[in-house]
């Protein structure tokens, strides 16, 4: 009696009671049931008569005796029985909305018993009920029941709150479980008096759901839960069936307005019997299985082995099965909550096994009742509670009609079969197979996976242990044979790798085995496994090859870095202290990048020309490495040579552009600033090729010079370069720099330039503020590019240091 899931193993037929036992049980049940049916018919007839009398008294105001006489007289006049007359009277006197043939109002469900609201038979509704039933297994209180119902109904019906009310003896209601409302509201509505206009009470009294889907209209008819009726503009109240009448009500509240869809109504009405069954399970007063039929059946089942239940279907007024009562049970039967044997007698199936609702097993039992033919389920998986853990088990169930009820038996599949299946799965997933060699009898046993690992066909006989080295490659035969010999002679366990050849190529294997010894210590049996390690070995070889390639590449990079560093140091020597050029104080900084090869194409020049002018150059060749260093040297020395021999700044840039275009396939570009300072005029003339502008600090203000025209070198065959002049004043500070000083990941170039201007402004001009401090401020993170800076300062006085 469990949640069903198909498995691939063959069905195992349950052990049914013997034919003689069943025959005896059937005869006892038939006799007892016939007597009970007669008594029930009399009781039902009396109930119908009393109900018809009550209705007639309410309409006409007559006495009970007069009502009975009226019914009997009408029966005689119409040549009908008293029972027939009572049914006709009830049908004629019921209000139109309560008649079975009348169409229900738009806000109420059709007048029907609980099972008429059961699942429609669609697959999705059955699955939903199955999920709800399975989760109800772990529900132990009405509060947990409300929480569980809300968890399932929220995604299915957009429910926001669930309430469970129980009818009190005096006619009022008590809130026994809730979810989705706060404690204050629950305390305020803990008890509801037996007054009119309460939807939950109306649902219990009428036995029909109340659908409140237009709250503003319903406020004049119903007393609504909550201080703000509009908080849940859509509500439903459903009676929970409990035999003949409903003793509890289920409330579903929604914050979204609108009517409940047809499927939502069907689901809520189908959930009601499940909730009712769980509420009955919380009641310690169980209905006893004490009638004669149950007692006789229990006496028979007490002597039977296995798990079996004798069930009586519980039907609605329309005849549909809404649940089953357990009348008798074998001692070995256990329900989903761990109750066993006679503890189950008198309980309902949906109470003890709520997870079967809507499942194939439920429909199979209904089919057995309708057709009179036994139903046998396919094997299915269920989790049994063992202590505080759940253990997966496989079952088969058989339901055989017996009188008006069902005899249901089930068996648990053989555990050995499950263990063998698990072992086979482990071998397949682990690419290993076990083997056993009996050294006394010579018997050899291999698992199916061993054949696959060793590349042999299943039709071939398994090899003896001493013949196993015959499969190995020649270079591995010796070590494998030696390990097996030590195992067979001295019982020394072995764990040895070896290779075999197959149609797919070489396969890397591993043999792990140990010996079972006799009392005298001699080996009599060997068992172990062989494992296919080809994927792991291939990955290891690929990793070794990758590491070898990485080491080779690292050596090449280190050699290139060392060569470039030596070349750059030879071509671009750095002064150890500030120097004087044409009366200006010059400080230089060069920092290579910290990633990749630590040399690049940034360079500087600060020299005095033959006419006592000073030449200042800062440039940046795109890229790093030996090529960048070589291009840097070419541009640096060419620029100095051309300006020294009389070329103008713009003319030098034009010739350098031509040089880059016609060297190294025209693939290298560079930026540059050329500046020439005349100490007599104190004028700095400068030109640039796509480079960042110099930064001037004067009188506490920092600004970037307006750049004259000029694009980067090597980008165009017909560039235009212009020059500009700047008159330096005592105390001025001028910075020529490359972009590595201001660039940061994730920051725009403009933000970096603003950062530099602010840092230099804070330091000031003149002799204050060191270049090292400025670099520390600007370069905090890892450098991704070279940094080159020329810090040029005009002294305040005329004192000049010796030229260097």
């Amino acid at each position: 009696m469990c949640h069903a899931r198909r498995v691939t193993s063959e069905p195992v037929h349950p052990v049914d009671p013997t034919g003689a036992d069943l025959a005896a049980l059937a005869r006892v049940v038939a006799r007892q049931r016939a007597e009970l049916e007669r008594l029930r018919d009399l009781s039902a007839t009396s109930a119908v008569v009393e109900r018809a009398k009550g209705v007639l008294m309410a309409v006409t105001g007559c006495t009970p005796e007069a009502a009975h006489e009226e019914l009997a007289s009408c029966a005689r006049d119409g040549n009908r029985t008293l029972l027939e007359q009572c049914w006709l009277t009830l049908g004629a006197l019921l209000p139109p909305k309560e008649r079975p043939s009348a169409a229900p109002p738009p806000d109420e469900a059709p007048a029907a018993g609980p099972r008429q609201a059961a699942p429609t038979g669609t697959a999705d509704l059955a699955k939903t009920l199955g999920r709800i039933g399975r989760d109800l297994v772990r529900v132990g209180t009405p509060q947990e029941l409300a929480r569980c119902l809300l968890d399932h109904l929220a995604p299915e019906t957009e429910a926001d709150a669930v309430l469970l009310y129980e009818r009190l003896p005096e006619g009022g209601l008590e809130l026994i479980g809730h979810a989705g409302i706060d404690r204050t509201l629950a305390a305020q509505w803990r008890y509801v008096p037996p007054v009119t206009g309460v939807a939950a009470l109306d649902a219990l009294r009428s036995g029909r759901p109340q659908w409140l889907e237009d709250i503003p209209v319903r406020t004049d008819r119903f007393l609504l839960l909550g201080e703000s009726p509009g908080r849940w503009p859509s509500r439903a109240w459903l009676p929970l069936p409990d035999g003949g009448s409903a003793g509890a009500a289920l409330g579903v509240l929604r914050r979204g307005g609108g009517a409940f869809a047809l499927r939502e109504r069907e689901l809520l009405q189908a959930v009601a019997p499940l909730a009712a069954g769980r509420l009955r399970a919380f009641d310690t007063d169980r209905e006893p299985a004490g009638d004669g039929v149950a007692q006789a059946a229990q006496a028979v089942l007490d002597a039977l082995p296995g798990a079996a239940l004798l069930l009586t279907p519980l039907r609605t007024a329309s005849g549909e099965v809404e649940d089953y009562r357990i009348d008798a049970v074998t001692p070995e039967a256990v329900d989903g909550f761990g109750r066993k044997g006679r503890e189950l007698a008198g309980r309902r199936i949906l109470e003890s096994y709520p997870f079967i609702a809507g499942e194939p097993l439920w429909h199979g039992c209904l089919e057995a009742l309708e057709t009179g033919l036994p139903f046998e389920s396919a094997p299915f998986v269920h989790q049994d509670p063992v202590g505080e853990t759940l253990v997966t088990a496989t079952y088969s169930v058989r339901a055989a009609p017996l009188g008006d009820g069902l005899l249901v038996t089930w068996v648990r599949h053989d555990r050995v079969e499950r263990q063998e299946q698990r072992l086979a799965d482990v071998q397949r997933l682990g690419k290993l197979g076990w083997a056993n060699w009996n050294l006394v009898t010579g018997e050899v046993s291999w698992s199916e996976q061993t054949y696959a690992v060793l590349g042999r066909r299943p039709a071939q006989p398994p090899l003896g242990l001493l013949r196993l080295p015959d499969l190995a490659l020649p270079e591995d035969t010796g070590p494998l044979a030696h390990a097996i010999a030590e195992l067979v002679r001295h019982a020394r366990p072995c764990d040895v790798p070896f290779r075999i050849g197959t149609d797919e190529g070489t396969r890397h294997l591993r043999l792990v085995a140990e010996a079972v010894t006799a009392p005298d210590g001699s080996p009599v049996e060997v068992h172990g496994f062989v494992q296919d390690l080809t994927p792991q070995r291939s990955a290891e070889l690929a990793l070794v090859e990758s590491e070898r390639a990485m080491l080779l590449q690292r050596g090449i990079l280190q050699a290139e870095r060392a060569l470039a560093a030596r070349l750059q140091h030879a071509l671009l020597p750095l002064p150890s202290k500030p120097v004087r050029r044409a009366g200006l104080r010059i400080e230089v900084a060069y920092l290579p990048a910290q990633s990749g090869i630590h040399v690049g194409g940034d360079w500087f020049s600060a020299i005095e020309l033959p006419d006592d002018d000073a030449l200042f150059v800062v440039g940046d060749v795109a890229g790093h490495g030996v090529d960048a260093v070589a291009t840097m040297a070419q541009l640096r020395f060419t620029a100095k040579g051309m300006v020294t021999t009389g070329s103008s700044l713009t003319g030098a840039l034009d010739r350098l552009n031509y040089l880059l275009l016609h060297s190294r396939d025209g693939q290298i570009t560079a930026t540059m600033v050329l500046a020439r300072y005349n100490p007599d005029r104190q004028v700095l003339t400068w030109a640039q090729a796509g480079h960042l502008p110099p930064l001037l600090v004067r009188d506490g203000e920092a600004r970037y010079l307006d750049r004259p025209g000029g694009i980067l070198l090597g980008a165009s065959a017909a560039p235009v370069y212009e020059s500009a002049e700047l008159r330096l004043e005592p105390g001025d500070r001028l910075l020529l720099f490359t972009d590595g000083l201001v660039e940061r990941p994730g920051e725009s170039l403009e933000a970096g330039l603003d950062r530099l201007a602010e840092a230099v402004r804070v330091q000031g001009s003149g002799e204050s503020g060191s270049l090292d401090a400025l670099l520390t401020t600007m370069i905090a993170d890892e450098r991704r590019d070279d940094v080159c800076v020329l810090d040029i300062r005009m002294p305040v006085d005329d004192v000049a240091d010796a030229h260097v």
Side-chain angles (χ1 to χ4, degrees), residues 588-637:
V588 181
Y590 177 83
L591 301 175
Q594 291 180 327
S595 60
I597 297 178
H598 297 175
V599 291
D602 289 17
W603 85 93
F604 68 92
S605 286
I607 63 173
E608 285 191 350
L609 300 174
D611 57 0
D612 295 330
D613 286 1
L615 175 66
F616 304 112
V617 185
V618 169
D620 184 0
V621 176
H624 295 82
V626 175
D627 290 342
V629 173
T631 304
M632 174 269 290
Q634 186 180 32
L635 293 178
R636 182 172 186 262
F637 290 111

Side-chain angles (χ1 to χ4, degrees), residues 566-580:
R566 289 196 297 269
L567 178 61
Q568 188 173 52
H569 181 71
L571 298 176
L572 193 65
L574 289 173
S576 58
K577 60 183 180 179
V579 298
R580 289 280 185 170

Side-chain angles (χ1 to χ4, degrees), residues 434-439 443-447 463 516 525-528:
W434 64 263
N436 188 82
W437 292 275
N438 191 313
L439 303 180
E443 182 181 0
V444 180
S445 299
W446 283 4
S447 68
L463 291 178
V516 179
E525 187 176 355
V526 172
H527 57 260

Side-chain angles (χ1 to χ4, degrees), residues 128-204:
T128 301
L129 288 177
R131 290 195 300 269
I132 297 175
R134 285 191 296 275
D135 286 351
L136 288 182
V137 172
R138 299 175 179 84
V139 170
T141 64
Q143 186 68 21
E144 293 177 2
L145 174 60
R147 180 72 262 172
C148 182
L149 291 176
L150 180 59
D151 290 342
H152 284 279
L153 295 179
E156 299 288 342
T157 65
E158 299 182 1
D160 295 296
V162 166
L163 293 86
L164 291 171
Y165 273 104
E166 184 178 43
R167 181 150 53 181
L168 299 173
E170 63 271 17
L173 297 175
E174 178 184 3
L175 183 64
I176 59 175
H178 61 86
I181 65 172
D182 56 50
R183 295 182 179 179
T184 302
L185 187 61
Q188 294 172 350
W189 289 84
R190 173 67 62 184
Y191 296 99
V192 178
V195 297
T196 59
V198 177
L201 278 173
D202 282 6
L204 291 176

Side-chain angles (χ1 to χ4, degrees), residues 367-390:
E367 182 181 348
L369 282 176
E370 295 173 359
T371 64
L373 300 176
F375 163 75
E376 294 188 10
S377 74
F380 58 88
V381 173
H382 175 64
Q383 290 184 327
D384 291 331
V386 178
E388 296 183 356
T389 62
L390 295 177

Side-chain angles (χ1 to χ4, degrees), residues 426-624:
V426 170
Q427 293 182 82
R428 175 177 51 81
L429 296 175
K431 294 184 179 296
L432 56 86
W434 64 263
N436 188 82
W437 292 275
N438 191 313
L439 303 180
V440 177
T441 65
E443 182 181 0
V444 180
S445 299
W446 283 4
S447 68
E448 293 183 5
Q449 191 64 24
T450 304
Y451 286 90
V453 170
L454 293 175
R456 293 177 64 83
R457 297 187 302 274
Q460 294 177 300
L463 291 178
L465 185 58
L466 297 179
R467 292 188 55 196
L468 201 59
D470 296 343
L471 300 177
L473 296 181
E475 52 268 37
D476 293 342
T477 300
L480 179 60
H482 176 73
I484 292 176
E486 291 294 309
L487 175 66
V488 172
R489 294 172 186 171
H490 306 293
R492 293 176 182 170
C494 72
D495 186 345
V496 55
F498 64 100
R499 293 168 296 171
I500 64 173
T502 66
D503 295 338
E504 293 82 12
T506 301
R507 185 175 295 176
H508 297 263
L509 305 182
R510 171 194 182 198
L511 172 65
V512 179
E514 63 181 5
V516 179
T517 60
D520 61 358
S522 60
V524 295
E525 187 176 355
V526 172
H527 57 260
F529 64 86
V530 288
Q531 186 176 15
D532 185 359
L533 300 178
T534 304
Q536 295 92 318
R537 184 58 178 163
S538 299
E540 291 173 0
L541 293 176
L543 181 60
V544 170
E545 186 63 27
S546 176
E547 290 179 348
R548 184 182 296 112
M550 290 175 60
L551 291 174
L552 179 61
Q553 182 66 21
R554 182 182 302 172
I556 295 173
L557 292 176
Q558 289 176 344
E560 183 177 357
R561 183 183 300 115
L563 175 62
R566 289 196 297 269
L567 178 61
Q568 188 173 52
H569 181 71
L571 298 176
L572 193 65
L574 289 173
S576 58
K577 60 183 180 179
V579 298
R580 289 280 185 170
R581 296 287 185 267
L584 301 177
R585 180 179 181 274
I586 313 299
E587 192 173 357
V588 181
Y590 177 83
L591 301 175
Q594 291 180 327
S595 60
I597 297 178
H598 297 175
V599 291
D602 289 17
W603 85 93
F604 68 92
S605 286
I607 63 173
E608 285 191 350
L609 300 174
D611 57 0
D612 295 330
D613 286 1
L615 175 66
F616 304 112
V617 185
V618 169
D620 184 0
V621 176
H624 295 82

